[in-house]
Amino acid sequence: MSHAASPLAAFHLIGDRSALESSSQAPMQFRPALFGTYHDLSTLRTDYPVVLVTTPGGSPWVKSLSDIIDELLQAIAEPGTGGEETRRQVLAQEQAIRSLVAGGQEGTLSQLWERAREHLVHTDGEPSAIDGKLDDKLTSAFDAIPLDGEIIGFDNRLAARLVTRAWQESENLRSKDLQKRIGRLAQKLSDILKVNHMHSPGARQPGELESAMGSGNSKVFDFEAMARILKTAPVAEPLPASRRKRIQSAIDTLDSQRFFHSNSAPSKSGKSPFAFAFSECGEALKAFRKRLPEMAALVKAISVAELEIDNHYSESRHDHFFKEFSEHQLGPRDLELFPSYLIETGQVDDQVQEEILQILRAGLPFKIVAQTNDILGDDSLAGGQLTFGTQGQQLARMALGIDQAFVLQAAASSLYRMNHQVLAGVSTSGPALFSIYCGAGYIETAAATESRAFPGFVYNPESGRNQAACFSLTGNPAQEKDWTGHELNYENPDHDYETEHTAFTLVDFIALAPQFSRRFACVPRAEWGYDLVPVSEFLGLSGHARVDKVPFVPLIDSDNVLYRAVVDERLLDAARRCLTAWHKLQEMGGINNSHAAAAVAEAKIAWEAEYVPPAVQPEPSPAASTADPAPEAAAPKPAATITPEPAPSSDDPWIETIRCTTCNECTQLNDRMFSYDGEKRAFIKDPDAGTYRELVEAAETCQVAIIHPGKPRNPDEPGLEELLERAAPFM
Amino acid sequence: MSDSISHCMLDLAEEEYTIEDYQSAVPRWCVGCGDHGVLTAVQRLCRDEKLPPEKTVFVSGIGCSSRFPHYLKTYGFHGLHGRALPIAQGVKIKRPDLHVFVIMGDGDCCSIGTAHWIHALRYNMNMTAIVLDNSIYGLTKNQASPTSPVGQISNTTPRGSFIDPLNPIDVTLGVGSASFVAQAVDWMPDLTHAIIQAAFHHRGFSFIRVLQRCPEFMGHKYDDWVQNPDRMLLLKHENGLKISDELGRIYRNQEIHDPSQRNRAREIAAVSDPIPVGILYRNEDIPCYEDHQVSDVMNTPEIVDTYLQKEFDKYTINPPGAPA
Ligand SMILES: Cc1ncc(C[n+]2csc(CCOP(=O)(O)OP(=O)(O)O)c2C)c(N)n1
Ligand code: SF4
Ligand code: SF4
Ligand SMILES: [Mg+2]
C-alpha cells in the first residue's frame, strides 16, 4: 500500500486537500489522457465540415467533405503508386479547405475549392510549370465532383443549419407533390368551365369563332357564315349556375393559396407566400392559428375539385357538409398536406420548455430544434447532488413521454452520421423535437456522447407500433457496454512503451470543465500505488472491496505528462447516476432488458422444476392411434391429401357450378330450370320446372360436361328408357 | 377523424356495382365460344374491384375476340387489327388515372401486332393485356395463325400447317422487362377470374394468355382437357395464386411454383400436356414507363401553344415581295 493512500482517501471521501502532497495539484491545465493524441484538431479528418448539397436531382442533401474527397479519389486516382501524386495533391487541397473553414471562411464548396486551389498553387513555392500542372489537376478534379452547396464547419450554428437544410429538402418534396396536385385540379376544373362555354351559343359568335381558329384566317374564312350555320346546330345543356359557381370558387381558392409556391410561377393572388421558419414557439403558433381558416378553405377547395372532376359531387349529399366545414374539422391527415413549421429556439428556459411540450402534445406539425451548450452547469451546489447533463436531457425525456412526437437527442458531432434520422424527423407528419448538445468544439462535443454524459437516441413513432421498432440508440459508441473503452498508449520514465486499457467515463468528461477542478487531485507517476483504481472499475466494487481504494481517471498536463487524478465522492456519485440513466436508455433500446432477464430467470426455474427426461417411446400401433386420436391431432397431415367433397346424391340433377363457363346453352334451353348465380355461373334453380329430356339435352350440349341429370323425377315421362341411356355418361 | 376530408367525401360518393352494370349488348360470339366465359370473368373483376365504368377502358384490335369492348358498359376502343397496344399506351400516358385493359386475338397480338407486343412488354406500362388464343383467325373464317398447331388444316394451309407454332408465353418470358406473365384457359372461369385479378393488381404490364375454344373452326381441340380436370396443371404459390378448396378438389394436379423463378417458368411454359395454368412469372421491381416519364409541366393549352410557337419560329416563310 502506498504511503499516500490515506490523504488521498480523505480527499476522495470528504474533499479534504490539506494532507495532499504538494505535487498532487488541482488540474487547471489538465485534459483527459485520451486527448493526448489530438494535437491540431484542424487537420483531423472528422465528419466536418459538411456540404449542404443544393445540386438538384439524385444527390444526398448533406455530405461530409471527407466523404466527397474519398469518393472523388476513388473515381479519379488510379490505384497503386500511379495515383499517389493525385491523392497527395487532392488531400492537400482538402486540408487547405479545412483550414479555410476553421479560419471562419464561408461559401459554397466550389468557392472554397477555388480559394484553396489558389492558395496551394501560389504559396507552394514550387516552380511555375509544376504549379500549372497542379492548377489543372485541381480544376479538373473539381469537375469530377457531382455536387455543390454551402460548406459549413463545426460550430455553434451547425445543428440548426443542418436541420434547416433537411427540413427544406423534405418540404420541397412535399410541396412539389401538392403543388402539382393543386395545379392539376385547377386545370381540370377550368376545362369543365371551358367545355361548358364552348357548348354555349356565345361561343358560336363570329368573334369567338375567329379567335378560336387563330389569327391569319380572317381573309380566307367567313366567320359570319360559319356562325350562321352553327346557329341551327343544337346546343348542349349548360351547367347549372350553382355548379358553375362552385367550380369557379374552387378555382379561385386553388389559384390564390399561399402555402405552396414555386419560383417559376408566383402566386396568382399577388399576395406574398407564407413563411414557415421561426425562432420562437409563440410566433410560430400564432402564425399557425391565424392561417387555419385559409387552410380549411384550401382543403375544402381540393375536396370539391376532386368530387367535381369525377362528377361525383351531389348537392343533396355534399352541400350541407361543405357549408358547415371550417378549420375545426381539419384532421391530422389534412394538416399533413401543409408545410410544417421549423422553430429554432435558443437556450431553453422553463417557459420555452413548457411551450415546446405544449406543441408536441397538440400533435402540431412543428419541427423544433432546441440546443443546449452547457450540460454540466456550475459547481455551486451545497450538499445536494450534482445534476450533470440533466438540464439538457430533461426536455427530450419529457418529450418521449408524449409518445406521438418524433424525438432525436444527439450531440452536434453525431448529426452527420445521423443524417437519415434527421431527415426522417423533419419528414414525419407530426411534431418533431431535435434536442442537441453543442460544446466548445468538435472533440469536446463528441466527448459528451462518448462519456454517456449526453447519449444519443431516436424515437420515431411512425416506425412501428412497438418500442423496438420506434426507439433506437443510434449515434452511441459501444451501445451494449457501460462505458466506451480505449487503448491508452504512453511512454514510461524508462522510455518503454506501455498500453493501458481505459474507459471514458462521465468523470473524464467533467475533467474538461475547469469549474470542477477542485474535485480532482492529480497524482504524479512516482506516487501511483495499488490503491488507485480506475473509476469504471471502482463503480463496480462492493462496499467492502472499496476499503483502502480510491478512484482515479487518467489526465495529462499541458506537456502531455500522464497523471492519475483522484476524484471526490460527489463526482463518483454523479457517474453512478449517469450509468443508471444510461442503463435505462439501453433497456429502451432493447439492450439488457430487465423484464426479459427476470422472465428468463423465472422460466428457467420453472422449466428445471418440471423437466422430466424423455423416456424412449414405443412405436404406436395402428390400433392404438385410431383408438386415441388426441396426440395425433397436432401431427401435420400430409399436404397432398385433399378430402373429396361428397358428391350430391346422383338422384337429384346438379351442376358443377364452379366450372361453368357462362356459355348460355343451358339457360337458353330452359331459364326456369337453369339459372345463373351471382357470379354468372349456372345452377339448377328448379329441377321440376322442365322435363327430364331437357336435363339430358342440356347435359349433352354443355361443352364442359358439368351438368348431371340425375334420376327422372316424373316416372310417366315418355321415352324414359332411351333418355336414361343417354344420361348414363353424365351420372 | 383519421382520414383526409377529400377521402371521406370520395368514400361518401363510392358506389356498389353489380355484374349487370357492366353488361352491354348481347354477345354475338358462336354458341360454345370460349370468349363468353372470359367476358364473365372480366365482368366479375370489374364488379369486385368496384371499377367505375367511366374510369375503365377496354381497348381491342380486330377479330372475334376484339368485339369484347362492345359487350362491356365501360369505355371501349375497337381499334385496328394488331394495333390495340399502341392505342392503349396512348390512353394510359394521357390518362394515368384510368384502368386500362387490352383484349387481343392470337392473330392480333402474335402476328400483325408482334412488334407492338414486344415493345409493350419492354415499356412495362401499367395495364392488363389478355390474349384470347384460339390458334386460328376466327373472324375472317379460318386461316392459320402463328399459334396454330402443326397439321392444322385451314383456308391458308389446305394441306395442313407445317411450321411449329409460336408459344406466346415463351416469347413473353424472353423479353427481359416482362413483369407479369400468366396462362389461363377459358373453361376454368374461377381460375381465369383469379388470374385476371392478380394481373389487375400487379403494377406494370400484365400479360395473360387464355387458351380459348373456337368450336366453329377448331372443333374439339380441347375436349380432352375440358372434360378431364386431371389433365390440367394448377400452378400455386403463397406469392402466386392461392387455390380454393373447392377448386382444389376438382383440379388435383397441382404444382408449387414460385413466380419469381423465371427459368422454371420457361420450362413450365414448354409443357402442353397437362396444360399449365396460373402465374408463371411476376416481378414487382421492374419500373413502369410512366415512372420514368414524370414531367412537372402540365399540358395546358397555354403550354402546348408555347411549344408549338417555338417550333414554328424555327422557320420563316417570306410572304411574296418581302425582303428575304
Ligand atoms: C390491317 C388488317 N389486316 C388484316 C385484317 C383482316 N383480319 C381481320 S381479323 C383478322 C384475324 C383475326 O384473328 P385473331 O386476331 O386471332 O382473332 P380471332 O378472330 O381469332 O378472335 C384478320 C387477318 C384487318 N382487319 N386489318
Ligand atoms: S351449358 Fe354448361 S357451361 Fe354453359 S352455361 Fe350451362 S352449365 Fe355453364
Ligand atoms: S368463330 Fe370461333 S372465336 Fe369466333 S366467335 Fe365463333 S367460336 Fe368464337
Ligand atoms: Mg384467333
Short mmCIF file of all heavy atoms in Angstrom, two decimals, chain A residues 308-331:
data_model
loop_
_atom_site.label_atom_id
_atom_site.label_comp_id
_atom_site.label_asym_id
_atom_site.label_seq_id
_atom_site.Cartn_x
_atom_site.Cartn_y
_atom_site.Cartn_z
N GLU A 308 -65.86 17.19 -58.13
CA GLU A 308 -66.39 17.75 -59.38
C GLU A 308 -65.74 17.09 -60.59
O GLU A 308 -66.41 16.78 -61.58
CB GLU A 308 -66.14 19.26 -59.42
CG GLU A 308 -67.12 20.09 -58.59
CD GLU A 308 -68.55 20.02 -59.13
OE1 GLU A 308 -68.78 19.38 -60.16
OE2 GLU A 308 -69.44 20.59 -58.47
N ILE A 309 -64.44 16.87 -60.51
CA ILE A 309 -63.73 16.30 -61.66
C ILE A 309 -64.22 14.88 -61.93
O ILE A 309 -64.36 14.46 -63.07
CB ILE A 309 -62.21 16.34 -61.41
CG1 ILE A 309 -61.74 17.79 -61.51
CG2 ILE A 309 -61.46 15.49 -62.42
CD1 ILE A 309 -60.38 18.04 -60.95
N ASP A 310 -64.52 14.17 -60.87
CA ASP A 310 -65.03 12.81 -61.07
C ASP A 310 -66.54 12.79 -61.28
O ASP A 310 -67.14 11.73 -61.34
CB ASP A 310 -64.69 11.94 -59.84
CG ASP A 310 -63.26 11.45 -59.90
OD1 ASP A 310 -62.68 11.55 -61.00
OD2 ASP A 310 -62.73 11.02 -58.88
N ASN A 311 -67.11 13.94 -61.31
CA ASN A 311 -68.56 14.06 -61.47
C ASN A 311 -69.30 13.36 -60.33
O ASN A 311 -70.32 12.71 -60.55
CB ASN A 311 -69.00 13.49 -62.83
CG ASN A 311 -70.33 14.09 -63.25
OD1 ASN A 311 -70.81 15.04 -62.62
ND2 ASN A 311 -70.93 13.55 -64.29
N HIS A 312 -68.73 13.44 -59.14
CA HIS A 312 -69.33 12.77 -58.01
C HIS A 312 -69.97 13.74 -57.03
O HIS A 312 -70.42 13.33 -55.97
CB HIS A 312 -68.27 11.95 -57.26
CG HIS A 312 -68.00 10.61 -57.89
ND1 HIS A 312 -68.98 9.87 -58.49
CD2 HIS A 312 -66.87 9.89 -58.00
CE1 HIS A 312 -68.47 8.75 -58.95
NE2 HIS A 312 -67.18 8.74 -58.68
N TYR A 313 -69.91 15.03 -57.34
CA TYR A 313 -70.48 15.99 -56.39
C TYR A 313 -71.99 15.89 -56.44
O TYR A 313 -72.60 16.01 -57.49
CB TYR A 313 -70.03 17.41 -56.72
CG TYR A 313 -70.31 18.37 -55.57
CD1 TYR A 313 -69.29 18.74 -54.71
CD2 TYR A 313 -71.59 18.87 -55.33
CE1 TYR A 313 -69.53 19.59 -53.63
CE2 TYR A 313 -71.84 19.71 -54.26
CZ TYR A 313 -70.81 20.07 -53.42
OH TYR A 313 -71.05 20.90 -52.35
N SER A 314 -72.55 15.61 -55.27
CA SER A 314 -74.01 15.53 -55.22
C SER A 314 -74.49 16.60 -54.24
O SER A 314 -74.11 16.58 -53.07
CB SER A 314 -74.42 14.13 -54.79
OG SER A 314 -75.52 14.19 -53.92
N GLU A 315 -75.28 17.54 -54.74
CA GLU A 315 -75.67 18.66 -53.88
C GLU A 315 -76.42 18.18 -52.65
O GLU A 315 -76.22 18.70 -51.56
CB GLU A 315 -76.48 19.68 -54.69
CG GLU A 315 -75.63 20.28 -55.79
CD GLU A 315 -76.24 21.51 -56.45
OE1 GLU A 315 -77.43 21.76 -56.25
OE2 GLU A 315 -75.49 22.20 -57.19
N SER A 316 -77.24 17.15 -52.84
CA SER A 316 -78.02 16.71 -51.68
C SER A 316 -77.12 16.09 -50.63
O SER A 316 -77.37 16.17 -49.44
CB SER A 316 -79.09 15.71 -52.12
OG SER A 316 -78.46 14.57 -52.65
N ARG A 317 -76.05 15.43 -51.08
CA ARG A 317 -75.19 14.74 -50.14
C ARG A 317 -74.10 15.66 -49.57
O ARG A 317 -73.75 15.58 -48.42
CB ARG A 317 -74.51 13.56 -50.84
CG ARG A 317 -74.96 12.23 -50.27
CD ARG A 317 -74.15 11.11 -50.84
NE ARG A 317 -74.58 10.78 -52.20
CZ ARG A 317 -74.05 9.78 -52.90
NH1 ARG A 317 -73.08 9.05 -52.40
NH2 ARG A 317 -74.46 9.52 -54.13
N HIS A 318 -73.54 16.52 -50.44
CA HIS A 318 -72.32 17.24 -50.04
C HIS A 318 -72.53 18.69 -49.62
O HIS A 318 -71.73 19.21 -48.84
CB HIS A 318 -71.31 17.19 -51.18
CG HIS A 318 -70.82 15.80 -51.47
ND1 HIS A 318 -71.04 15.17 -52.67
CD2 HIS A 318 -70.13 14.92 -50.71
CE1 HIS A 318 -70.50 13.96 -52.65
NE2 HIS A 318 -69.95 13.78 -51.47
N ASP A 319 -73.56 19.35 -50.16
CA ASP A 319 -73.73 20.78 -49.88
C ASP A 319 -73.68 21.08 -48.38
O ASP A 319 -72.95 21.94 -47.93
CB ASP A 319 -75.06 21.28 -50.45
CG ASP A 319 -74.86 21.84 -51.85
OD1 ASP A 319 -73.70 21.78 -52.33
OD2 ASP A 319 -75.84 22.33 -52.45
N HIS A 320 -74.48 20.29 -47.65
CA HIS A 320 -74.61 20.58 -46.23
C HIS A 320 -73.26 20.45 -45.54
O HIS A 320 -72.84 21.31 -44.77
CB HIS A 320 -75.62 19.64 -45.59
CG HIS A 320 -75.74 19.84 -44.13
ND1 HIS A 320 -76.34 20.95 -43.59
CD2 HIS A 320 -75.31 19.08 -43.09
CE1 HIS A 320 -76.28 20.87 -42.27
NE2 HIS A 320 -75.65 19.75 -41.94
N PHE A 321 -72.57 19.38 -45.87
CA PHE A 321 -71.27 19.15 -45.23
C PHE A 321 -70.31 20.31 -45.48
O PHE A 321 -69.67 20.81 -44.56
CB PHE A 321 -70.67 17.84 -45.75
CG PHE A 321 -69.28 17.61 -45.23
CD1 PHE A 321 -69.09 17.02 -43.99
CD2 PHE A 321 -68.18 18.02 -45.96
CE1 PHE A 321 -67.81 16.83 -43.50
CE2 PHE A 321 -66.91 17.84 -45.46
CZ PHE A 321 -66.72 17.24 -44.22
N PHE A 322 -70.22 20.72 -46.73
CA PHE A 322 -69.24 21.77 -47.04
C PHE A 322 -69.64 23.13 -46.49
O PHE A 322 -68.80 23.97 -46.23
CB PHE A 322 -69.00 21.84 -48.55
CG PHE A 322 -68.09 20.73 -49.03
CD1 PHE A 322 -68.54 19.81 -49.97
CD2 PHE A 322 -66.81 20.60 -48.53
CE1 PHE A 322 -67.71 18.78 -50.39
CE2 PHE A 322 -65.97 19.58 -48.96
CZ PHE A 322 -66.43 18.67 -49.89
N LYS A 323 -70.94 23.33 -46.34
CA LYS A 323 -71.38 24.60 -45.78
C LYS A 323 -70.91 24.72 -44.33
O LYS A 323 -70.48 25.77 -43.88
CB LYS A 323 -72.92 24.67 -45.83
CG LYS A 323 -73.43 26.08 -45.74
CD LYS A 323 -74.89 26.17 -46.15
CE LYS A 323 -75.61 27.12 -45.20
NZ LYS A 323 -76.59 26.48 -44.34
N GLU A 324 -70.95 23.61 -43.62
CA GLU A 324 -70.56 23.60 -42.22
C GLU A 324 -69.05 23.52 -42.04
O GLU A 324 -68.54 23.66 -40.95
CB GLU A 324 -71.18 22.38 -41.52
CG GLU A 324 -72.68 22.34 -41.55
CD GLU A 324 -73.27 23.42 -40.66
OE1 GLU A 324 -72.86 23.49 -39.50
OE2 GLU A 324 -74.12 24.20 -41.16
N PHE A 325 -68.34 23.24 -43.12
CA PHE A 325 -66.92 22.91 -42.98
C PHE A 325 -66.07 24.11 -42.56
O PHE A 325 -66.13 25.17 -43.17
CB PHE A 325 -66.39 22.34 -44.30
CG PHE A 325 -64.99 21.81 -44.18
CD1 PHE A 325 -64.77 20.58 -43.61
CD2 PHE A 325 -63.90 22.56 -44.61
CE1 PHE A 325 -63.48 20.08 -43.46
CE2 PHE A 325 -62.62 22.07 -44.47
CZ PHE A 325 -62.42 20.83 -43.89
N SER A 326 -65.31 23.94 -41.49
CA SER A 326 -64.42 25.02 -41.06
C SER A 326 -63.14 24.41 -40.52
O SER A 326 -62.97 23.19 -40.56
CB SER A 326 -65.08 25.83 -39.96
OG SER A 326 -65.09 25.04 -38.78
N GLU A 327 -62.26 25.26 -40.00
CA GLU A 327 -60.97 24.76 -39.53
C GLU A 327 -61.12 23.74 -38.40
O GLU A 327 -60.23 22.96 -38.15
CB GLU A 327 -60.08 25.91 -39.07
CG GLU A 327 -60.58 26.63 -37.84
CD GLU A 327 -61.06 28.04 -38.16
OE1 GLU A 327 -61.75 28.21 -39.19
OE2 GLU A 327 -60.73 28.96 -37.40
N HIS A 328 -62.29 23.75 -37.73
CA HIS A 328 -62.46 22.81 -36.62
C HIS A 328 -62.54 21.38 -37.11
O HIS A 328 -62.37 20.44 -36.35
CB HIS A 328 -63.72 23.16 -35.82
CG HIS A 328 -63.70 24.58 -35.36
ND1 HIS A 328 -62.75 25.04 -34.49
CD2 HIS A 328 -64.48 25.64 -35.69
CE1 HIS A 328 -62.95 26.34 -34.29
NE2 HIS A 328 -63.98 26.72 -35.01
N GLN A 329 -62.86 21.22 -38.37
CA GLN A 329 -62.97 19.85 -38.89
C GLN A 329 -61.65 19.32 -39.45
O GLN A 329 -61.58 18.19 -39.87
CB GLN A 329 -64.01 19.77 -40.01
CG GLN A 329 -65.41 19.48 -39.53
CD GLN A 329 -66.19 20.76 -39.36
OE1 GLN A 329 -65.67 21.86 -39.56
NE2 GLN A 329 -67.43 20.64 -38.99
N LEU A 330 -60.62 20.17 -39.48
CA LEU A 330 -59.35 19.71 -40.06
C LEU A 330 -58.75 18.61 -39.19
O LEU A 330 -58.56 18.80 -38.00
CB LEU A 330 -58.35 20.88 -40.14
CG LEU A 330 -58.63 21.94 -41.19
CD1 LEU A 330 -57.60 23.06 -41.08
CD2 LEU A 330 -58.58 21.34 -42.59
N GLY A 331 -58.47 17.48 -39.78
CA GLY A 331 -57.85 16.37 -39.04
C GLY A 331 -56.36 16.30 -39.35
O GLY A 331 -55.87 17.02 -40.23
#
